[in-house]
Each structure stands twice: as structure tokens, then as C-alpha cells.
Amino acid sequence: MKTFLFICLLPAVFADPQTTFLSRIVNGQDAEPNEFPWQVSLQYRSDTTQEYSHICGAVVLDANRILTAAHCVEHDPTISNYEIVVGGHSLTEQNGNEQRRKLSDLKIHASYSNSGGYNNDIAVLILSSSLTLITDIVERATLPLSAQTFTGKNCYISGWGRTVANGPLPDILQKAATSVITHSDCRTRLGFTGILYLSAQAHICIYSGSNSACNGDSGGPLVCDVSTTNTENWQLAGVTSWGLTDCPVGSPSVYVRISSYIDWISMQ
């Protein structure tokens, strides 16, 4: 079975014969405006004559830093070719809450590998000017404790990735309810691909049987509710990394396990 990374460049990027990037949520539904206030659209232009367009998701760390997948930015280190948009809901229509920012730096994990299981598929983007954080519109994601596993928790994925393999990007931010599964279950469901490429430390898997991340969702958030009372406590469990070709809903999607990178994130 082939796998893919959830990125959305034109033409599509295939980093090796076994894995490809994911870009859109399959069998999701429209999110409510500002339902995921930490959601970011990472946008790219290949030269200065072009407009920026969505290539990946990303997540607000704080007013000056954005988290995404390393594979979203490894193809071009030119920071002027990227910008981010927060507060958005539609890729084509403005709602008045959008904030656009350029980058001043991008930091890819030094041990990132773009082959096999895409270990350490994580990057921090430094903004050229600070975001204005606004409750319920633009908020930082809550990072997890290093020991948090999220198995069995109520979780959501969100993004502007494709809703069917090789289809167009959706205009409206999509969401889907999902569950984190154990490392052993994920390996079994991925079969030979899981045995070869899955890392218990680097990866966290989701599976619902009815939806999937896809191309264009790369770098976007997996958030889980870890509350023990009636007050929701959403934490960032992962950012989208890879999955099987054609985004089958009967297979897990693989995310970067954020709890393994807390120290690295704090140093960027």
C-alpha cells in the first residue's frame, strides 16, 4: 500500500514511493465560523508575480509563532514566499476577522526525515509581526503534557484539505469528529506500512471508520477534549502528517505526536 503526505502543492508532491502528503478532510462537514480559533491557513506563492494560495494547515502557538508540518515548508526555504492567515473561515471570502502575516524565519526540526515514516515532521514559523489574539476568534492552542496519550478522548480534526482524493479544495473550513487509537492498533490497521514506518514516539494515529484527513490538511490540528468536568479543555494532540494514498476512510491518518515535542517547541 502506498502512503501520502497531506500537502497541497500543484502539482502534487510525492516524497517517496511509499508515502504522500494529506490535504483535505474526507466525509467532514463545514465548521462554524471561528469554531477552531487556533486554525491557520499556510499560504504559498512560487514567485513574486503570483498570489498566495493555501497549501497546508497550521496552528497558532502564540502571537509570534505558528506550528506546522515540516514537509509543508521543506520544498522552499524562501520565507517571502509564505504567509499565514488566521481568523478565516472561507478561502475566498473575507469575514473581517482575518489577520495576514509574513514570516521572519522558519525552523524545521533538525532530525526531520522526508522518507519512511516522516519522523520529526514538525516546524515552527516565526512571524514578522505579532498577531492580535482575540478570544473565540484568534487563540493559541493549548499544548499537552508530555505524558498525555489522548487515547479514547473526544477529538476533532479541521482543515481546508480535499474532501475526496484528487478533488478540489473546499472553500469553507471542514471538521470531523474522530478518535485517537493505540500505536499497536494503528500498526495493525496500516499493515505493512505501519510496521515499516510508524513510530510510537513520533506519531499519533486517528481512526473513526467514516472520515479521514487528506491532501491540504497537512500541518493542521488534531485537538482532543481532556476535561474531567463539564468545562471543555481542548488540547493539541497532533498536526497532520501522512496517510495511505487516496485518503481511505477505512485506514488511520497519522499525525505528529505533539506531546513528544514540547521541549523542542519551547526552544524555537
Side-chain angles (χ1 to χ4, degrees), residues 2-5 13-21 114-118 193 197 242-243 245:
K2 293 185 178 180
T3 61
F4 66 99
L5 293 167
V13 172
F14 293 88
D16 92 6
Q18 295 298 319
T19 52
T20 60
F21 298 102
N114 62 3
S115 62
Y118 303 92
T193 300
Y197 298 139
W242 59 272
T245 301

Side-chain angles (χ1 to χ4, degrees), residues 1-4 18-19 116-119 181-203 205 242-244 251-254:
M1 280 185 272
K2 293 185 178 180
T3 61
F4 66 99
Q18 295 298 319
T19 52
Y118 303 92
N119 287 333
I181 60 176
T182 65
H183 176 70
S184 59
D185 188 12
C186 190
R187 285 187 63 175
T188 299
R189 291 181 182 276
L190 287 172
F192 187 63
T193 300
I195 294 171
L196 282 179
Y197 298 139
L198 201 65
S199 163
Q201 179 177 5
H203 301 134
C205 297
W242 59 272
L244 295 184
S251 177
S253 299
V254 183

Side-chain angles (χ1 to χ4, degrees), residues 40-45 51-56 58 66 78-86 99-103 125 127-128:
V40 178
S41 170
L42 174 61
Q43 305 198 354
Y44 175 76
R45 63 180 184 184
E51 295 184 355
Y52 292 94
S53 58
H54 176 86
I55 58 165
C56 279
I66 300 297
T78 308
I79 59 175
S80 61
N81 284 340
Y82 299 93
E83 70 175 23
I84 62 95
V85 181
V86 299
Q99 299 179 47
R100 290 183 175 267
R101 296 291 187 273
K102 307 292 189 184
L103 306 187
L125 313 179
L127 302 182
S128 60

Side-chain angles (χ1 to χ4, degrees), residues 24-85:
R24 183 187 186 283
I25 292 175
V26 177
N27 290 346
Q29 58 184 308
D30 289 356
E32 296 297 323
N34 308 119
E35 185 175 0
F36 301 97
W38 44 78
Q39 178 78 48
V40 178
S41 170
L42 174 61
Q43 305 198 354
Y44 175 76
R45 63 180 184 184
S46 59
D47 62 61
T48 57
T49 66
Q50 294 182 326
E51 295 184 355
Y52 292 94
S53 58
H54 176 86
I55 58 165
C56 279
V59 186
V60 176
L61 283 175
D62 54 41
N64 299 295
R65 300 181 305 155
I66 300 297
L67 187 69
T68 192
H71 75 254
C72 289
V73 293
E74 67 164 338
H75 62 285
D76 185 355
T78 308
I79 59 175
S80 61
N81 284 340
Y82 299 93
E83 70 175 23
I84 62 95
V85 181

Side-chain angles (χ1 to χ4, degrees), residues 182-261:
T182 65
H183 176 70
S184 59
D185 188 12
C186 190
R187 285 187 63 175
T188 299
R189 291 181 182 276
L190 287 172
F192 187 63
T193 300
I195 294 171
L196 282 179
Y197 298 139
L198 201 65
S199 163
Q201 179 177 5
H203 301 134
I204 186 170
C205 297
I206 60 168
Y207 175 77
S208 72
S210 61
N211 55 58
S212 170
C214 196
N215 303 101
D217 288 321
S218 284
L222 161 67
V223 294
C224 299
D225 183 8
V226 298
S227 62
T228 55
T229 65
N230 292 329
T231 302
E232 293 179 347
N233 180 10
W234 295 97
Q235 294 185 4
L236 183 67
V239 294
T240 322
S241 186
W242 59 272
L244 295 184
T245 301
D246 295 333
C247 317
V249 298
S251 177
S253 299
V254 183
Y255 283 62
V256 179
R257 185 180 291 275
I258 297 303
S259 61
S260 295
Y261 295 93

Side-chain angles (χ1 to χ4, degrees), residues 132-155:
T132 300
L133 300 180
I134 306 169
T135 301
D136 295 331
I137 296 177
V138 177
E139 296 183 4
R140 59 171 61 89
T142 300
L143 298 181
L145 299 175
S146 58
Q148 182 63 263
T149 66
F150 298 102
T151 303
K153 298 297 184 182
N154 176 30
C155 303

Side-chain angles (χ1 to χ4, degrees), residues 165-178:
N166 301 315
L169 297 182
D171 182 56
I172 300 299
L173 181 68
Q174 299 291 293
K175 67 176 181 179
T178 190

